[in-house]
């Protein structure tokens, strides 16, 4: 049995990485909070949407570019993350996954609803846990509107 | 670094307030458990649905009035709360938010599905954490059936 | 107030049983990980779908038989578990519930989406917490496709 301190730290770390994911979903759904969104990621983070037929974005600059378009193009967003599962938890790195229902409406009236898996790699930094990589994979068939909306 | 006792209490409080939200959702979906529903709220609590074009209810009496109608009028309910995020946690008060998928069927066959944000304020009472205010805001466009069902 | 050790164990146990449920959902959605699925259950576990008009399966053998068909017959699955609520937590047993959105596509193109309640009984074993019984109940009306898909 680990020490009380070590056991407590594991619980705190699990909660902290889940908080980062929730913070990301909240920022995505705000359709405006770019700072809140970017602070979930390390500067060199990879946001990989190739599993759902969209690009792979590397670094804050690229991620900001994508979400600038998303925030401009969408009028509504809702992302519900469930089944948060910690696959690995080390001193300064962690991996987790979640099942996410993401839905939205674009300013041209088009709408989208996807069920996807998020695979997340986290690293501990001097300002807390951050996403080093977020990779998405489809759980259910992807609607055509997903690429229509994001390929504008 | 806080003491073990303080760190443990933070975790317990976070879990306890999330339990209150889950207890509320469970009671709403039971379509019968009014006591279980009301005990999630302080007697003077505000349940504010003005963000989704429904009334704002203040006190147990008003909340009970609303859910008496809801329990009578609905045959099915499912509310799934995700992305539970603690925005502030003090000694005796806390604020949190969640993204919620709420769906139901009314006895006249009408149905509803909404994606909403819950903004929650909690206070610690002698019988545990309670909701002092629950305010809902729309994440996705609201269907006409929402007001059809609740304006009867 | 309980001892630090006892309070910490309660938190760890709550997380551990939720991990088992999440592990089950992940395995169900993998459409392939039978070992990961079965290890969530005790060998004599009951997986009771009678509340949603499907059979009740007892023991690993029966559960494996059901999911062998499911994994063969489905091309896509997504199960999102929310509102995890611990109803009872003892030294070596626990009860919990969750609200689950389950959706899938069958290889013949048929599709299904249900909102169900999971009622879970867990026991602590030498290899961790396991599901002793998982009973499902409908929250929303069940689509005809549910029995079409699973009665093949």
């Amino acid at each position: 049995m680990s020490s009380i301190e070590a056991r407590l730290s594991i619980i705190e770390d699990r909660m902290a990485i889940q908080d980062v994911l929730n913070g990301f979903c909240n920022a995505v759904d705000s359709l405006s909070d770019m700072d809140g969104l970017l602070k979930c990621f390390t500067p060199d983070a990879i946001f990989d949407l190739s599993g759902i037929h969209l690009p792979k974005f590397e670094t804050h600059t690229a991620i900001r570019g994508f979400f600038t378009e998303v925030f401009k193009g969408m009028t509504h967003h809702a992302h519900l993350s469930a089944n948060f599962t910690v696959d690995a938890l080390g001193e300064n790195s962690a991996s987790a996954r979640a099942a996410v229902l993401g839905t939205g409406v674009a300013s041209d009236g088009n709408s989208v609803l996807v069920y996807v898996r998020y695979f997340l790699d986290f690293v501990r930094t001097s300002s807390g846990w951050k996403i080093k990589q977020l990779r998405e994979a489809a759980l259910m068939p992807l609607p055509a509107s997903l690429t229509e909306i994001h390929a504008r």
Side-chain angles (χ1 to χ4, degrees), chain A residues 7-130:
Chain A
R7 289 163 66 192
L8 202 44
S9 291
I10 286 170
I11 297 166
E12 289 170 335
D13 285 340
R14 285 180 58 133
M15 287 183 149
I17 61 176
Q18 188 165 9
D19 283 348
V20 175
L21 171 59
N22 289 337
F24 169 70
C25 290
N26 292 342
V28 166
D29 290 350
S30 75
L31 292 174
S32 64
D33 185 11
M34 187 66 79
D35 289 348
L37 192 151
L38 289 176
K39 83 170 181 205
C40 300
F41 293 92
T42 60
D44 64 345
I46 296 172
F47 180 54
D48 183 357
L49 301 182
S50 59
I52 58 169
H53 311 313
L54 292 173
K56 177 174 173 174
F57 303 95
E58 303 191 41
T59 77
H60 269 199
T61 306
I63 295 169
R64 178 194 295 273
F66 175 68
F67 280 105
T68 298
E69 290 307 307
V70 168
F71 287 178
K72 218 181 295 179
M74 305 300 287
T75 60
H76 297 80
H77 247 182
H79 288 74
L80 277 68
S81 131
N83 309 1
F84 187 77
T85 309
V86 178
D87 291 314
L89 179 60
E91 189 69 34
N92 295 308
S93 65
S95 296
R97 69 182 69 190
V100 177
L101 184 167
T103 184
V105 178
S107 43
D108 63 3
N110 206 350
S111 67
V112 64
L113 192 155
V114 297
Y115 294 93
V116 291
R117 171 81 61 212
Y118 283 9
F119 293 99
L120 298 134
D121 295 321
F122 297 90
V123 288
R124 192 198 302 269
T125 74
S126 56
S127 47
W129 288 96
K130 306 275 180 190

